[in-house]
Amino acid sequence: MAIQHATSEEGAIGTATDSRGRLVTSDGTPLRRALERANRRRKLTALALVGPLLAFILIFFAFPIAQMMWRSVDNPQIVNALPETLNALEEWDGQGIPDEPVFAALHADMVADLDRPRREQKIGPLGIRLNYEISAARSAISRTSRAVADFDAPYKEAFTDAHRLWGQPELWRIIKREGRPLTASYYVAALDREYDAEGNIVKRPENRQIYVSLFGRTLALSLAITFMTFVLGFPIAYYLSTLPMRYANLLMIAVLLPFWTSLLVRTSAWIVLLQQQGVINNALVGMGFIGDDGRFSLIYNQTGTIIAMTHILLPFMVLPLYSVMRTIPPSYMRAAKSLGARPWTAFRRVYFPQTLPGIGAGGVLVFIISIGYYITPALVGGQSGRMISNEIARHIQQSLNWGLAAALGSMLLVGVLILYWLFNRLVGTDSLKFG
């Protein structure tokens, strides 16, 4: 192919040779050099064609992910705000309250920060950072910063009088432990762990353990939604594949119709349908299946999340299944039946195994989308139907703990990659057919 391409571009290749006996093209260029030039031009053309897509992926996909993973370990606030204090704390053994030199260094750091322009001051971020580790730290930093210019030696008494936290060894242990440019504390918190007084990583009290159970719930809900889309999508795709193309295309429009409607509208419609005074409960009461005091709780719990997300993600299961089923010749089933197999046996041993590439593709699509879904669980999930994505959003928008949000997001990303790797090892992505 390369020789033919070079021939068309560089001229016809004859049997002419140069003085060294090498084949040359019609313009006298050595054939080998002409082929190399043509291949180089082809590679540059291919790079120019994929360049915009490559740049888009790097800027809007790879770079944000790298930023997120970096922020999950980045820890500059204490190092930038308290350099002298950290130097003085090197001699502290972690027991009791530090001595006067440490408080003198803290006073020097806070006074130096007051002399900086407001935009360059480090005390504000320091208070926010310490507040992630211990309650009321932000208040202690702010209150002390406003009065520190009037402090006189001995500074230890002045600081402990300004706020009670300065008299607690726990705060000083946190400052010393987190006084490094990089930290693992966000990942420790994301695993429902914390540091004890000796610096060991231990479990948090049970009433403060949130994230591990939330990861488990997210995984369980995603698997349930994937299974429900398979149960509902398989018959739909099978029926579509048996219809003439004209009717199948019409019904396929009905399958794709949700894509033409806003996600917010679809989710709001489920709120109307599923609430206790909604359409479904009213219909069941009206038909006499349940009493008025026995209405089902179908929303603001895990049931609501599963129902709404199954409806929203159903097309992602139907489309790969339909594309695979359409290619399976009906004669296979007829041949199996003609050889004595019952309909169920023919379906189970002949037809179903050929649909596995579509099931795998649809399952991967639905599972990966659902494990990071945000809007629908936030609107219909309530407290028990929330997923880890809702907790990540809460830390980004409300608590402003971006480091913990980045750690949770990084763990979710790594978890998905591990599951994808397992799927590839057990099933193989080469067998998937997405359309």
Side-chain angles (χ1 to χ4, degrees):
M1 293 295 294
I3 294 175
Q4 294 173 353
H5 186 76
T7 302
S8 62
E9 291 188 350
E10 304 296 336
I13 302 175
T15 57
T17 59
D18 59 7
S19 58
R20 298 169 61 183
R22 298 177 299 183
L23 288 173
V24 297
T25 59
S26 58
D27 60 356
T29 304
L31 178 59
R32 181 176 180 181
R33 186 186 305 171
L35 290 173
E36 291 176 349
R37 188 183 304 166
N39 285 331
R40 186 164 53 249
R41 188 180 300 120
R42 189 181 308 113
K43 290 179 181 177
L44 290 175
T45 303
L47 182 61
L49 291 174
V50 301
L53 176 61
L54 185 62
F56 181 86
I57 292 174
L58 289 175
I59 295 173
F60 296 104
F61 183 72
F63 181 70
I65 289 177
Q67 272 284 312
M68 178 189 69
M69 301 187 78
W70 168 250
R71 192 176 285 274
S72 67
V73 295
D74 190 24
N75 187 43
Q77 296 89 349
I78 299 177
V79 176
N80 293 338
L82 304 176
E84 298 297 331
T85 308
L86 292 175
N87 288 334
L89 278 174
E90 290 182 0
E91 304 298 329
W92 182 54
D93 60 358
Q95 303 298 321
I97 305 174
D99 296 329
E100 176 64 19
V102 175
F103 284 93
L106 176 62
H107 177 266
D109 283 332
M110 298 186 80
V111 170
D113 190 75
L114 292 176
D115 296 334
R116 297 190 182 104
R118 189 171 182 82
R119 287 187 175 181
E120 299 178 9
Q121 290 183 348
K122 313 295 183 185
I123 290 299
L126 171 68
I128 295 173
R129 176 66 185 88
L130 289 177
N131 208 60
Y132 298 154
E133 305 291 337
I134 183 171
S135 299
R138 187 176 183 179
S139 171
I141 295 291
S142 301
R143 187 185 304 175
T144 308
S145 177
R146 288 193 296 269
V148 72
D150 300 328
F151 286 180
D152 295 319
Y155 298 110
K156 183 175 183 177
E157 184 177 347
F159 273 93
T160 52
D161 288 343
H163 199 281
R164 60 178 175 80
L165 274 187
W166 297 116
Q168 295 184 9
E170 183 183 1
L171 175 64
W172 293 101
R173 282 194 287 266
I174 291 172
I175 292 176
K176 184 175 183 179
R177 188 188 71 228
E178 299 301 326
R180 296 169 296 178
L182 301 178
T183 182
S185 63
Y186 295 124
Y187 285 98
V188 171
L191 292 170
D192 288 334
R193 301 293 192 274
E194 63 183 8
Y195 292 96
D196 63 8
E198 287 74 33
N200 301 315
I201 297 176
V202 297
K203 275 188 176 181
R204 278 182 168 175
E206 192 170 346
N207 60 349
R208 295 180 57 199
Q209 296 179 11
I210 303 172
Y211 306 114
V212 173
S213 60
L214 205 51
F215 272 111
R217 182 195 300 169
T218 301
L219 181 63
L221 286 176
S222 300
L223 290 174
I225 292 164
T226 304
F227 177 74
M228 289 300 296
T229 55
F230 164 70
V231 170
L232 296 176
F234 194 93
I236 297 173
Y238 177 75
Y239 180 65
L240 290 175
S241 67
T242 58
L243 291 176
M245 186 60 74
R246 182 178 54 180
Y247 299 112
N249 289 338
L250 287 175
L251 291 180
M252 184 58 71
I253 293 175
V255 174
L256 299 176
L257 197 60
F259 285 140
W260 302 350
T261 312
S262 166
L263 176 62
L264 193 59
V265 172
R266 280 179 280 165
T267 305
S268 302
W270 279 112
I271 295 176
V272 174
L273 291 171
L274 297 178
Q275 58 185 317
Q276 284 203 330
Q277 301 299 325
V279 176
I280 294 177
N281 270 312
N282 285 340
L284 292 175
V285 171
M287 289 185 288
F289 290 115
I290 59 174
D292 194 48
D293 55 347
R295 292 172 179 264
F296 295 117
S297 296
L298 300 176
I299 200 169
Y300 305 127
N301 49 31
Q302 295 184 18
T303 304
T305 300
I306 292 174
I307 292 174
M309 288 185 62
T310 298
H311 162 253
I312 291 169
L313 299 179
L314 186 60
F316 292 99
M317 178 64 80
V318 173
L319 291 176
L321 278 173
Y322 172 73
S323 67
V324 171
M325 291 177 175
R326 198 74 193 178
T327 61
I328 300 174
S331 58
Y332 288 4
M333 287 285 286
R334 291 196 296 268
K337 292 176 184 175
S338 68
L339 293 174
R342 295 178 179 274
W344 168 245
T345 303
F347 172 81
R348 181 171 57 86
R349 303 192 62 175
V350 176
Y351 188 83
F352 185 76
Q354 297 181 77
T355 64
L356 290 180
I359 295 174
V364 168
L365 274 176
V366 173
F367 179 79
I368 290 179
I369 294 174
S370 60
I371 204 169
Y373 225 69
Y374 167 70
I375 295 178
T376 303
L379 292 179
V380 303
Q383 192 62 31
S384 66
R386 290 167 60 85
M387 301 172 75
I388 192 65
S389 55
N390 303 115
E391 195 64 18
I392 294 173
R394 186 181 72 82
H395 283 302
I396 292 176
Q397 298 170 350
Q398 298 177 18
S399 71
L400 303 181
N401 192 346
W402 289 14
L404 181 55
L408 292 171
S410 299
M411 291 171 62
L412 183 63
L413 174 65
V414 172
V416 170
L417 292 178
I418 291 174
L419 291 174
Y420 187 77
W421 176 79
L422 280 175
F423 180 86
N424 186 35
R425 295 278 295 182
L426 298 176
V427 180
T429 55
D430 295 338
S431 61
L432 300 183
K433 290 185 178 179
F434 291 94

